[in-house]
Amino acid sequence: MRRDEYDLLVQGGGMIGLATALAAADGGARVALLDREPPRPWQGGEVRQRVSALNLASERLLTGLGVWPEILAERAGRFEAIHAEDAASEARVRFEAADAGLAHLGHIVENELVCAMLAARAPQAGVSRLAPGAIAEWTPEAEGLDVRLEDGRRLRTRLLVGADGAGSAVRTRAGIHARVAPYGQEAVVANVTTGARHGHAARQRFLEGGPLAFLPLADGRCSIVWSLPADEAEVTAGLSDAAFTTLLDEAGGSLVGGIESVGPRARFPLRRLHAERYIDERVALVGDAAHVIHPLAGQGANLGFRDAATLAEGVVTALAAGRDPGGRGLLRRYERARRGDNHAMQLAMDAFHAAFTRHDPLLVRLRGAGFGTADRVPPLRRAFMRAATGLAGELPALMRTPGVAA
Ligand SMILES: Cc1cc2nc3c(=O)[nH]c(=O)nc-3n(C[C@H](O)[C@H](O)[C@H](O)COP(=O)(O)OP(=O)(O)OC[C@H]3O[C@@H](n4cnc5c(N)ncnc54)[C@H](O)[C@@H]3O)c2cc1C
């Protein structure tokens, strides 16, 4: 049987798999993409519930991939400031883009819009989108993998990328163990109309049960991400619109001039997950397949885009030099570049989570002091903003050029 041959086969057509595929194909790699679901062309309509706060580094990548102008033209909520407050100590901290010499810190974008724009560009870049399906198994062979899909199709690839999300079948099949720890919380998300204009600020209030964020949408409303103990989240999300509005107003209405109306709610269980390895023989994991973190700082997809840019750069560089894009050295460098970075972010999120869900008076005082210091010391504020923009540390080439994004 004739087999199609690729340098890269990506399983998973979410934001991160699509970005990996496109970045590698733009650099000259032969790429195939496989997802159980067919792509969903963008249809506009009501703002979706799943949004992500994308930082400047992710904007740069999406600019380089040729989709950022289309995303901005469709709709994206720019944020120029981050305001955080601790309900228990009433301490506040404000980060303004202008203080760091920036025009903005990022955008709130619908995940479905990002996927649709990347998927629309993929064929132009030469990415072969295989008919919906999944990998059944693969076998190593000389300088590649022989891959069999569930429907019996066979193909050959030099590198297989698992971008198939938190429940990654590629990760499981490669025998890569993942450490998983539930946070005991669920995130309730909804789009809400607020009494005051959002003023392009992302606002977050740390409450006893978990953080409540108001993220500015392009249509003037806010997307809320409200982390609550799992049992409370179920009850809260199931309340009538009127009862939910009242509860949300009590929890965080003061941040946004009150809550006027709320849209449908959705819930997402929150857990931490980290793959013990990101690589196996001719296999690499990216995005949620490799790591899942608490959404309190809105960094999961941003870290995934950095994985995508780093891995694609390695593949493209190897091909240009006539080297193997699935070679062990390349994969080791990818893992070294990304695993420590992602682990550090996970630890930071866990520390925040632990510090803000415990309520002994000493900790509350320490939190208040911490917020106060961050608010008063400009170099600290600038360091935080640099981290939030994703521009700290060594950047992959696709995130180094500002383009139109920053
Ligand atoms: C409430 C909440 C808020 C968040 N907010 C932010 C934020 O503000 N900023 C941010 O950066 N991140 C945020 N995140 C994290 C972000 O949503 C994820 O990190 C990101 O969506 C992961 O993308 P992915 O492409 O890796 O995985 P996914 O989006 O899970 O995509 C996986 C793809 O693989 C496909 N697939 C799965 N299994 C198979 C299989 N066996 N065969 C074939 N295909 C398969 C699926 O159909 C899917 O298309 C948030 C997360 C949550 C829960």
Side-chain angles (χ1 to χ4, degrees):
M1 186 198 286
R2 190 187 140 267
R3 294 181 304 172
D4 287 331
E5 293 210 14
Y6 300 98
D7 297 312
L8 208 69
L9 168 63
V10 180
Q11 170 154 294
M15 292 191 283
I16 309 308
L18 280 160
T20 310
L22 206 45
D26 276 345
R30 296 166 304 167
V31 182
L33 182 88
L34 179 68
D35 198 294
R36 278 197 190 285
E37 307 292 331
R40 280 199 213 168
W42 181 245
Q43 313 236 301
E46 175 61 19
V47 177
R48 313 293 189 272
Q49 288 165 318
R50 286 299 305 267
V51 300
S52 294
L54 296 187
N55 64 24
L56 298 187
S58 298
E59 291 183 12
R60 285 181 177 186
L61 173 64
L62 295 171
T63 301
L65 297 180
V67 297
W68 190 243
E70 278 86 349
I71 290 172
L72 286 185
E74 200 55 45
R75 56 195 186 201
R78 190 177 75 256
F79 61 98
E80 300 164 0
I82 299 173
H83 299 171
E85 66 176 52
D86 175 26
S89 66
E90 294 189 354
R92 295 196 169 96
V93 58
R94 286 171 174 242
F95 302 100
E96 308 284 339
D99 292 348
L102 295 165
H104 69 286
L105 297 171
H107 280 83
I108 310 300
V109 191
E110 292 152 79
N111 296 6
E112 192 179 321
L113 173 59
V114 177
C115 285
M117 293 304 173
L118 287 168
R121 246 226 81 214
Q124 299 157 18
V127 175
S128 305
R129 180 117 193 182
L130 306 177
I135 294 171
E137 61 176 359
W138 66 83
T139 320
E141 56 180 30
E143 294 183 13
L145 299 175
D146 175 39
V147 181
R148 188 172 62 78
L149 307 188
E150 284 176 352
D151 62 7
R153 281 175 289 169
R154 297 262 303 273
L155 53 92
R156 179 183 150 81
T157 186
R158 298 216 273 170
L159 177 62
L160 168 61
V161 177
D164 44 357
S168 173
V170 170
R171 188 184 67 225
T172 306
R173 181 143 206 103
I176 299 176
H177 180 69
R179 288 172 192 269
V180 185
Y183 285 109
Q185 292 182 331
E186 289 190 357
V188 176
V189 304
N191 297 332
V192 307
T193 305
T194 56
R197 288 169 190 275
H198 57 53
H200 299 288
R203 297 179 170 83
Q204 178 134 266
R205 182 163 213 217
F206 290 90
L207 296 155
E208 198 172 324
L212 165 61
F214 289 86
L215 307 173
L217 293 172
D219 67 2
R221 289 183 298 163
C222 287
S223 161
I224 61 152
V225 182
W226 190 359
S227 305
L228 288 162
D231 48 346
E232 266 182 57
E234 187 178 357
V235 176
T236 304
L239 291 172
S240 67
D241 283 2
F244 185 81
T245 302
T246 306
L247 201 65
L248 181 62
D249 201 36
E250 281 165 13
S254 59
L255 292 177
V256 289
I259 308 298
E260 293 193 342
S261 63
V262 298
R265 275 75 70 193
R267 287 188 288 134
F268 299 91
L270 301 182
R271 59 185 171 156
R272 179 190 346 105
L273 177 153
H274 208 190
E276 287 187 341
R277 294 178 283 127
Y278 284 12
I279 58 172
D280 195 54
E281 187 179 349
R282 296 191 177 276
V283 173
L285 303 177
V286 292
D288 276 19
H291 47 80
V292 177
I293 63 172
H294 198 291
L296 70 89
Q299 287 299 330
N302 289 310
L303 295 177
F305 280 128
R306 205 150 162 153
D307 299 345
T310 305
L311 183 63
E313 182 181 340
V315 165
V316 168
T317 308
L319 285 170
R323 292 198 308 270
D324 182 354
R328 191 174 292 239
L330 182 161
L331 295 184
R332 285 230 174 98
R333 277 193 297 283
Y334 163 68
E335 183 178 57
R336 260 202 311 277
R338 295 304 309 138
R339 197 169 184 284
D341 191 25
N342 292 331
H343 188 55
M345 183 64 84
Q346 276 195 328
L347 289 180
M349 290 310 102
D350 287 359
F352 257 92
H353 173 71
F356 284 93
T357 44
R358 288 176 38 212
H359 302 287
D360 52 276
L362 178 63
L363 200 58
V364 171
R365 281 220 301 280
L366 280 173
R367 283 191 330 234
F371 267 47
T373 310
D375 203 38
R376 280 190 309 273
V377 181
L380 255 185
R381 277 213 313 275
R382 280 197 293 274
F384 173 89
M385 277 190 280
R386 192 119 193 108
T389 57
L391 299 180
E394 199 178 326
L395 292 169
L398 279 162
M399 290 177 159
R400 260 178 245 145
T401 315
V404 300

